[in-house]
Amino acid sequence: MPGTSPSDRVWLRDPLAVHLGAGVDPNRAARGIVIDRTTGTIVELVPAGGEPRSGGVPTSGGEPTSAGAVGALDAGGTLEIIDASEHVITPGLINTHHHFYQTLTRAWAPVADLPLFGWLQNLYPIWARLTPRALELATTVAMAELLESGCTTAADHHYLFPTGMDEAIDIQVDVVRKLGMRAMLTRGSMSLGEADGGLPPQQTVQKSDVILADSRRLVETYHQRGPGVQIQIGFAPCSPFSVTTELMRDSAALAADLDVRLHTHLAETIDEEDFCRETFGLRTVDYLESVGWLGERTWLAHGVHFDDSEIGRLGAAGVSVAHCPTSNMRLASGIARAVELEDAGVNVGLGVDGSASNDASNLIREVRQALYIQRLRYGAEAVTCDRVLDWATKGSAAALGRDDIGTIEVGKQADLAMFRLDGLAFSGSHDPIPALVLCGAEKADRVMVGGQWRVVDGHAIGADGHALDKESLIAAHQEEARRLVAG
Ligand SMILES: [Zn+2]
């Protein structure tokens, strides 16, 4: 996603700390990171005591400031210097599971204290009233919130297509382009209504042939392939209790045919496990295998209730899991066996999940939640700050099938998050990486996607270069949220 810029290259100089990845020596980038804006990639890590090879010291431009100073490169281009001495730099965080539309039903009292099935049955009729305008606003709010928390790539699972919402994913594509983030938009689906033994009300389900035709259309229209792409499409039947077995099977076949990824909720709650046993006579992973989903193309939301042999099978098959700690705590679903899944070969990524079960779209906050919930299961030594940061970056990238993002390395996309450790919350802290996670960072100061600044001074900047008008956005979104619940 290269764009035009007054400077060819940017040097993020002398960062306070850098997370290159668990076990990778941060001194390799002690003096910073050089980005080529024309290609949108990282071109150099500057080691301790070094200077950028690709341009040398700028010959003019004065002292660098937080806004950057521009100097001449030896090679003839220009180099902008950003003083990063007060920033912790991480790879751009990657969110692997969300339902953007749910920002319209955050903290709704009737479901505030219910577990998954009761929560869903109360919310389905509300969600069935979704409109194109409400979805556009909800998507903008969720993505901007993610972006300002340090997220550069976001996956969404949209499975609601009531009457008038045929172009739901097209609407989301427009928002992604306006914000200049990367996205994995999944064409979700529900085809098993109450009348046929499923959980969702009949007006929220679609016929299989309609779902599959639209899935194909979306891939042919929007799906990009190769390094640095902005938009990808995946297929995401909602869950075992809301789609037919045939649709699960047909979605897997179409995904293989078109070479795109597959996503669904699995093993989130004991209620779901009971449903699978009673309806299919199978445990969740057996069901997954029976419909042709046990493979590298698949990433699962939650994956809380797996036994030892299932963890081994998922790892051997190369399946990925989106761990959603806050949602699992909010709905009291359980504690995912994330460390054992990763040790077995599963790619573990992080997801904030939909805003009706989190209720925030804040990914750096989710890193902290993952650290703490997983320490309850595995102890403090096995669940380090570095390991959990890897889940939110490298693990999440792998879960989305991408190897061009998720780490800070030469040749990778310049997707970066920069956090300031200022304010009362960080006062008295000693080591920057643990401080980022343990003291509870909330917002990134700067975020770069493909070499372009998308957050500056903590505020989202659209792809058109203008600051997002958050005041108007919130007012309009709040109005739609009220209207939806009022009916
Ligand atoms: Zn979900």
Side-chain angles (χ1 to χ4, degrees):
M1 253 181 329
T4 56
S5 165
S7 304
D8 301 320
R9 296 195 169 195
V10 186
W11 177 15
L12 307 177
R13 201 174 83 169
D14 296 332
L16 183 61
V18 175
H19 175 82
L20 295 175
V24 182
D25 180 5
N27 281 321
R28 290 175 52 200
R31 291 228 63 208
I33 300 159
V34 182
I35 290 122
D36 186 326
R37 280 174 145 158
T38 55
T39 61
T41 57
I42 296 165
V43 290
E44 192 174 351
L45 303 185
V46 188
E51 296 284 340
R53 287 189 307 272
S54 48
V57 179
T59 55
S60 64
E63 283 301 301
T65 67
S66 61
V70 178
L73 280 177
D74 294 348
T78 54
L79 176 70
E80 182 185 10
I81 299 174
I82 302 283
D83 174 8
S85 62
E86 294 183 8
H87 290 96
V88 175
I89 305 181
T90 70
L93 308 182
I94 298 168
N95 192 48
T96 55
H97 186 64
H98 205 314
H99 311 284
F100 295 154
Y101 75 88
Q102 289 183 8
T103 57
L104 294 156
T105 51
R106 290 196 234 230
W108 186 46
V111 299
D113 306 314
L114 292 180
L116 181 68
F117 277 19
W119 175 90
L120 277 172
Q121 282 163 324
N122 277 275
L123 281 165
Y124 281 140
I126 305 290
W127 293 339
R129 301 182 199 128
L130 190 67
T131 63
R133 172 72 174 151
L135 178 64
E136 181 196 340
L137 291 164
T139 302
T140 309
V141 164
M143 293 197 80
E145 194 185 353
L146 279 168
L147 185 61
E148 292 188 357
S149 77
C151 175
T152 50
T153 300
D156 193 55
H157 184 175
H158 188 85
Y159 51 81
L160 267 183
F161 295 83
T163 307
M165 289 300 299
D166 299 336
E167 297 189 344
I169 306 296
D170 307 69
I171 290 166
Q172 294 191 312
V173 166
D174 284 345
V175 175
V176 171
R177 287 177 176 158
K178 277 183 193 149
L179 289 175
M181 289 177 74
R182 300 186 204 276
M184 164 66 83
L185 299 173
T186 62
R187 203 301 180 185
S189 51
M190 296 201 293
S191 64
L192 190 69
E194 280 172 324
D196 302 305
L199 206 64
Q202 224 48 43
Q203 74 267 31
T204 61
V205 302
Q206 289 182 295
K207 290 194 183 332
S208 286
D209 56 348
V210 173
I211 292 165
L212 293 166
D214 194 43
S215 300
R216 177 182 286 279
R217 173 186 75 83
L218 289 165
V219 171
E220 288 170 351
T221 310
Y222 299 117
H223 185 73
Q224 299 173 312
R225 302 176 195 275
V229 296
Q230 183 176 23
I231 293 170
Q232 295 197 303
I233 302 290
F235 300 156
C238 190
S239 61
F241 51 83
S242 58
V243 297
T244 60
T245 303
E246 293 70 32
L247 182 60
M248 287 294 285
R249 219 173 259 136
D250 291 347
S251 296
L254 188 60
D257 185 29
L258 298 177
D259 191 19
V260 296
R261 292 184 80 73
L262 283 167
H263 184 49
T264 192
H265 295 95
L266 200 81
E268 180 176 0
T269 63
I270 295 292
D271 285 346
E272 179 198 322
E273 192 177 301
D274 291 344
F275 178 93
C276 284
R277 277 218 184 95
E278 286 160 20
T279 311
F280 312 116
L282 296 169
R283 283 181 56 85
T284 53
V285 174
D286 293 327
Y287 176 69
L288 200 71
E289 184 165 30
S290 77
V291 289
W293 278 57
L294 203 58
E296 290 181 356
R297 199 179 293 287
T298 298
W299 92 100
L300 305 169
H302 303 296
V304 175
H305 299 283
F306 296 134
D307 65 22
D308 292 348
S309 80
E310 288 169 333
I311 288 172
R313 286 164 66 199
L314 292 164
V319 170
S320 303
V321 166
H323 175 36
C324 304
T326 304
S327 175
N328 296 159
M329 288 188 273
R330 158 83 145 82
L331 298 172
S333 304
I335 305 177
R337 298 172 67 178
V339 167
E340 291 159 276
L341 284 163
E342 185 170 57
D343 290 347
V346 169
N347 299 311
V348 174
L350 289 190
V352 300
D353 202 0
S355 305
S357 68
N358 181 320
D359 302 51
S361 307
N362 188 310
L363 197 46
I364 190 63
R365 194 189 283 166
E366 204 67 19
V367 170
R368 188 170 189 249
Q369 298 280 63
L371 180 91
Y372 289 145
I373 194 175
Q374 291 301 322
R375 282 188 173 186
L376 284 179
R377 188 183 271 282
Y378 297 106
E381 288 168 335
V383 185
T384 64
C385 295
D386 274 346
R387 184 173 197 165
V388 181
L389 278 170
D390 269 10
W391 289 346
T393 52
K394 198 176 171 183
S396 286
L400 299 186
R402 296 190 72 150
D403 60 8
D404 58 331
I405 55 175
T407 57
I408 298 174
E409 290 176 72
V410 171
K412 296 284 170 106
Q413 292 299 304
D415 290 12
L416 303 164
M418 298 173 69
F419 298 88
R420 273 181 191 279
L421 307 184
D422 54 9
L424 290 172
F426 295 97
S427 181
S429 63
H430 296 273
D431 297 302
I433 298 289
L436 179 73
V437 181
L438 300 176
C439 297
E442 293 277 326
K443 278 175 76 87
D445 181 56
R446 279 176 172 259
V447 177
M448 176 180 273
V449 184
Q452 305 300 314
W453 292 116
R454 298 302 184 212
V455 172
V456 174
D457 295 334
H459 296 288
I461 307 291
D464 63 0
H466 294 108
L468 191 66
D469 181 355
K470 283 187 276 191
E471 207 172 313
S472 303
L473 173 64
I474 291 166
H477 181 249
Q478 191 77 49
E479 176 59 30
E480 289 295 334
R482 266 192 224 106
R483 194 174 300 164
L484 196 69
V485 170

